Amino acid sequence: MMKTSETRTIKRSQIHLNPYNPKRHSDEQVKLQLKNLKKNGYLGGIVWNSTTGNLVDGHRRIMALDLYNKYDGMGDYDVKVEVAEFDEKTEKEQMTYMAIGNSKADYNLIAPYVSEIDPAAVGLGEDDYNKLVALAGDRDLNVPVMDATSAFLDPMVSLKEDTKTSEEIAQEHREKPKMTAEQVKAEKANNDRIASDRQGTQDLYVFLSFDSFDQKATFCELLGYVPTNSMMVKGEDVMKLIE
C-alpha cells in the first residue's frame, strides 16, 4: 500500500528552515507570497519531516506566515503541515525532487487564459510574460495558442507524455523518414515567420531601469503594484499616473 502523509497542526517553533534548501527566496518573493495569503488564505501544502524537524517543501510560505504573524522566534502560532518521516538522505532527495519538479509550468496551458490574470499577482516577470503573450498571439484579443512548430523556438513548450521505453523511442526515431531538403527549407521558413511575429509583439513594450530597488518600489507603489525582481506594468496604468 502506498504511504501517505498525515495532516497535522503543529507549532511554528517545531519547524526548522532546511539548511540545504536548494531554493533562495528574495524579500520581494516572500512579500508576494504574503499578498497571496492575505487574498486567498493559507491553502496548506507545507511538508515537514518529523524525524529532523526540517521543512521539505514550503519555505516561502513559512516565511510569509512569519511576516503575517510577526514571528521572530519569540511567541508562537499554529501551522497545518503534511507530516513525513524521512531519514536525512531521503529528506534531501525529496526536497530536491520537489524543488526541481515544481520549477516551471507548461506555458502552452497558461497562454489561453493569460489575458484573464494579473501577471504581477502571480509573480510573472517581463521575459516570462512576453513568452506567454507570444504564445497567445495577441493578449487583448486572446488569440489561440501558436502552432506546435513553435517548439523549434521555445524550449518551454511541453512534450506529450510518453510511456514508451527509451529504446522504443530511439527505434522509432531511427525508422522515421528523413526530411527532404524542400521540407527542411519549408520548416525553416515557417520558424522564421514565427520569430518575426514574436518580434512584432516585443515592439509593444518599453523597459524601464532604476538606480535602486527603493526607486522601483516607490514607482510601483504609485501604480498600486507589488515590486518583484522582474515584472510587467501595464502602459495604461502609467498613462493614468502622468495625465
Side-chain angles (χ1 to χ4, degrees):
M1 178 180 295
M2 181 184 296
K3 293 194 299 184
T4 60
S5 63
E6 173 194 351
T7 303
R8 191 190 305 172
T9 298
I10 63 175
K11 292 296 184 181
R12 168 62 179 89
S13 56
Q14 295 176 254
I15 299 172
H16 309 311
L17 300 180
N18 201 307
Y20 297 100
N21 180 25
K23 291 184 176 180
R24 291 292 179 265
H25 304 297
S26 66
D27 290 343
E28 293 74 37
Q29 291 172 327
V30 174
K31 289 177 182 177
L32 179 64
Q33 180 71 71
L34 177 60
K35 180 181 178 182
N36 180 266
L37 289 171
K38 288 180 177 179
K39 178 181 179 181
N40 298 316
Y42 171 59
L43 305 179
I46 290 175
V47 182
W48 176 71
N49 185 9
S50 61
T51 306
T52 62
N54 290 333
L55 283 180
V56 178
D57 191 47
H59 288 77
R60 185 169 65 162
R61 275 163 288 179
I62 283 292
M63 293 175 183
L65 287 170
D66 284 351
L67 287 179
Y68 181 81
N69 290 283
K70 297 179 173 59
Y71 179 79
D72 57 1
M74 303 297 292
D76 225 340
Y77 64 90
D78 292 336
V79 186
K80 183 178 71 174
V81 299
E82 295 299 315
V83 181
E85 295 182 10
F86 296 140
D87 57 35
E88 291 187 9
K89 177 177 181 291
T90 305
E91 174 183 285
K92 290 185 178 73
E93 290 173 344
Q94 184 64 22
M95 177 176 58
T96 304
Y97 169 79
M98 297 180 83
I100 294 174
N102 294 332
S103 60
K104 278 295 180 183
D106 187 330
Y107 279 26
N108 270 336
L109 301 181
I110 299 175
Y113 65 84
V114 67
S115 64
E116 303 171 26
I117 62 175
D118 178 0
V122 298
L124 280 171
E126 291 102 339
D127 289 344
D128 287 338
Y129 183 73
N130 290 344
K131 288 175 181 176
L132 285 166
V133 170
L135 281 172
D138 184 302
R139 180 172 181 268
D140 295 327
L141 297 178
N142 198 22
V143 172
V145 178
M146 283 187 178
D147 185 88
T149 53
S150 62
F152 250 66
L153 297 172
D154 197 329
M156 292 186 178
V157 176
S158 65
L159 299 176
K160 293 182 179 179
E161 183 177 355
D162 203 326
T163 57
K164 299 175 183 177
T165 67
S166 58
E167 178 56 34
E168 288 173 333
I169 295 173
Q171 181 62 29
E172 287 186 358
H173 182 73
R174 288 192 293 267
E175 295 174 352
K176 186 177 180 180
K178 300 294 184 181
M179 294 179 68
T180 65
E182 290 75 14
Q183 289 173 323
V184 172
K185 184 177 180 181
E187 187 76 8
K188 182 179 183 303
N190 187 48
N191 290 333
D192 289 343
R193 177 187 60 78
I194 293 172
S196 177
D197 290 343
R198 290 188 178 187
Q199 182 59 50
T201 301
Q202 297 294 323
D203 289 342
L204 299 176
Y205 295 89
V206 172
F207 296 94
L208 300 177
S209 64
F210 299 90
D211 292 332
S212 68
F213 183 81
D214 287 341
Q215 290 182 358
K216 176 179 175 179
T218 300
F219 177 77
C220 291
E221 184 178 351
L222 291 172
L223 296 173
Y225 284 78
V226 175
T228 57
N229 285 340
S230 60
M231 58 189 298
M232 189 280 295
V233 173
K234 295 179 180 178
E236 53 264 36
D237 290 342
V238 178
M239 294 299 293
K240 291 177 183 176
L241 180 67
I242 63 178
E243 284 179 351

